[in-house]
Amino acid sequence: MDASIVIISLPAIFRGIGLDPLAAGNIGYLLWMILGYLLVSAVLVVVLGRLGDMFGRVRIYNLGFLVFAFASVALSLDPFRAGAGALWLILWRVVQAFGGSMLTANSAAILTDAFPARQRGTALGINQITALAGQFLGLLAGGLLATVDWRAVFWVSVPVSVAGTVWSYLSLRETATGGRGRVDWLGNITFATGAGILLAGITYGIQPYGGHPTGWTNPWVLSGLIGGVLLLLVFCVVETRVAEPMFRLSLFRVRAFAAGNLAALLTAIARGGLQFMLIIWLQGIWLPLHGYDFEDTPLWAGIFMLPLTLGFLMAGPVSGYLSDRFGARLFSTAGLLVVAASFLGLLALPVDFAYGPFAGLLFLNGLGQGMFSSPNTSSVMGSVPPRYRGVASGMRATFQNSGTALSIGVFFSLMVSGLAATMPSTLGSGLTAHGVPPATAHEAASLPPVSTLFATFLGNNPIAHLLGTGGTLDHLTAAQRATLTGHTFFPSLVAGPFHHGLSIVFGVAAGMALVSALASALRGGHEPADGDPAKDTPRAYAREGQA
């Protein structure tokens, strides 16, 4: 829940610390508040999963709860304002993500150790669906708490994390025997640096550079992309040459492990894109068109997205239980086909849709993702030797978290490109038609599309913001002011350009879901039995998986 609770609460947080979210220099703060947690989670989970294999999964998990609790307290006590306040929040979100990564890297491995194969799908299904549902419930919780006080967004984590720390230390016991081994320092450094630089480069690629709406021609972005890929290639070479690698590349010989992780990566990218596009669609266009104040849209966006969470919660445990009896491939593949169909359905909706069909498609999407996630996690974790489950859990979480981080760069870039084609002329002509001087209208229309996108994402009316600060509104008639700053002018203006971008986004997401379904179908049907020492190697499991 903490991975997403801040996303919907950003308008209240920025107002609380006195930071203008649309000022050019503050976009960086906005991005890192969203992405700092995701980037750290994507980079560190595999390292912490390997440490769990070496020093004890429960030990690392318990320590993670302690770190998470401490960071949650620090976040709720931010003593600064403006840029300094934003930096405080970003720093402690990074620390919080470090603790959260210690939890997510080892939780699936602890459950896999604790449950026999006949119950594992159900156990991992409950765990996985709870986590995924938490991402969407975080949007609702953030919207509710932000209306009370922006600090309440962070307060809510304090009692949960403190209670969780005490509970985990009192109740959890190690059920697996870990080996000390050696820390793969070179592998850790090359992976963390390479993945961090690559994801940061993708993140900054959505910001404008020069005369371009995106930053993919920025030398720093290109350097990050190329440097990150090169370091990850070096990492792969290192991992084939060290005695005790942190990233077991040999696990990819196991077909179920490789196919399951590929499907999880592509599904995470599509799911992350869906989450952000739905927030923008609801907060920036649909809710204002239906009479909701811009300040109230974050809360109502979370409420109107509940069918998605409901689908998760209904399908996850059931598909996990059934996959224990009938195997993972059928349910995972069918679920992804349902996800692809829901994306195509969303693609067919008008921007100003009727809520019934929209809610039905969201429910269908959540149902499909629930059908996929539980069996896929069970298949991936059950396909590897027991002594590698910590690192396998970390690798699985790395693919999932990387997909969420990648989705922001991929889908925001697609959306920005779609908006850049028609937004400036549409906005400029719309403003001049309502009495705004041409020079002022041109200046407002020259606002980078990413700023307009973030304005809708934050539940702000950019027209009132842009024209109000320059005093332009004071020179217009009362009727013109009411029209420009009302609920419908900006949403109606951007509906056409937004739908053009949305068509690209959902089309790509549907394609990713279909490729994921193909990967899932190719995972194989056999799952190795637990506890056979003769098969406790990736090569032996690979032979079993291909049989």
Side-chain angles (χ1 to χ4, degrees), residues 69-379:
F70 186 77
S72 298
V73 173
L75 280 164
S76 66
L77 299 176
D78 187 351
F80 302 111
R81 289 184 58 78
L87 288 174
W88 175 278
L89 295 176
I90 291 167
L91 171 65
W92 285 106
R93 282 282 286 173
V94 166
V95 176
Q96 190 183 46
F98 183 76
S101 298
M102 298 171 84
L103 299 172
T104 57
N106 290 282
S107 61
I110 291 171
L111 289 172
T112 306
D113 292 337
F115 285 87
R118 67 181 183 277
Q119 297 176 335
R120 187 176 296 144
T122 304
L124 288 172
I126 293 171
N127 182 63
Q128 178 75 359
I129 293 305
T130 302
L132 293 176
Q135 291 184 9
F136 290 96
L137 288 173
L139 301 177
L140 177 60
L144 287 169
L145 294 169
T147 60
V148 178
D149 189 292
W150 70 270
R151 294 181 188 272
V153 173
F154 303 110
W155 291 339
V156 70
S157 302
V158 176
V160 175
S161 55
V162 171
T165 303
V166 175
W167 191 4
S168 63
Y169 270 100
L170 291 177
S171 64
L172 289 181
R173 299 289 180 270
E174 291 286 358
T175 58
T177 303
R180 286 285 174 168
R182 298 178 181 177
V183 177
D184 176 16
W185 292 112
L186 185 57
N188 278 288
I189 292 171
T190 52
F191 177 78
T193 307
I197 291 175
L198 177 63
L199 292 174
I202 291 172
T203 299
Y204 280 105
I206 68 175
Q207 295 194 52
Y209 174 74
H212 303 281
T214 57
W216 298 112
T217 57
N218 187 333
W220 287 106
V221 171
L222 293 173
S223 299
L225 297 177
I226 296 170
V229 170
L230 290 176
L231 280 172
L232 290 177
L233 290 175
V234 171
F235 164 75
C236 291
V237 173
V238 168
E239 297 303 275
T240 61
R241 296 175 182 269
V242 297
E244 298 182 42
M246 70 160 227
F247 207 102
R248 289 276 172 181
L249 296 178
S250 58
L251 292 178
F252 288 106
R253 294 174 184 160
V254 182
R255 188 166 61 180
F257 182 83
N261 276 308
L262 174 60
L265 173 66
L266 293 175
T267 304
I269 295 174
R271 181 173 58 247
L274 173 70
Q275 175 177 292
F276 287 105
M277 291 306 112
L278 288 179
I279 293 172
I280 294 169
W281 195 354
L282 288 170
Q283 290 188 184
I285 298 178
W286 192 84
L287 287 168
L289 284 177
H290 288 256
Y292 292 84
D293 291 333
F294 277 90
E295 293 77 11
D296 297 332
T297 55
L299 168 60
W300 286 102
I303 292 172
F304 281 118
M305 288 169 62
L306 281 177
L308 188 64
T309 306
L310 182 62
F312 271 129
L313 295 176
M314 288 181 61
V318 174
S319 63
Y321 171 77
L322 292 175
S323 70
D324 287 336
R325 299 185 60 188
F326 303 108
R329 177 164 58 177
L330 172 64
F331 297 96
S332 294
T333 306
L336 289 170
L337 292 175
V338 170
V339 169
S342 70
F343 277 124
L344 294 176
L346 288 170
L347 188 62
L349 287 180
V351 174
D352 189 11
F353 51 81
Y355 182 69
F358 177 78
L361 289 169
L362 289 193
F363 178 77
L364 196 66
N365 192 283
L367 205 67
Q369 293 196 49
M371 290 173 62
F372 163 76
S373 296
S374 302
N376 187 68
T377 302
S378 178
S379 173

Side-chain angles (χ1 to χ4, degrees), residues 431-442:
L431 290 173
T432 53
H434 288 82
V436 176
T440 305
H442 176 74

Side-chain angles (χ1 to χ4, degrees), residues 46 49-50 53 246-248 251 388-395:
V46 69
R50 172 61 180 148
D53 284 341
M246 70 160 227
F247 207 102
R248 289 276 172 181
L251 292 178
Y388 296 134
R389 281 174 182 161
V391 69
S393 179
M395 292 165 73

Side-chain angles (χ1 to χ4, degrees), residues 422-431 493-494 497:
T422 55
M423 173 66 79
S425 59
T426 303
L427 184 58
S429 59
L431 290 173
L493 204 64
V494 301

Side-chain angles (χ1 to χ4, degrees), residues 491-502:
S492 300
L493 204 64
V494 301
F498 179 80
H499 190 264
H500 174 66
L502 203 65

Side-chain angles (χ1 to χ4, degrees), residues 19-31:
L19 203 62
D20 180 1
L22 296 183
N26 292 339
I27 290 180
Y29 293 131
L30 177 68
L31 279 173

Side-chain angles (χ1 to χ4, degrees), residues 50-72:
R50 172 61 180 148
L51 292 177
D53 284 341
M54 294 171 58
F55 301 107
R57 293 158 194 166
V58 169
R59 179 179 297 175
I60 299 298
Y61 182 91
N62 291 345
L63 182 60
F65 246 133
L66 187 62
V67 173
F68 191 89
F70 186 77
S72 298

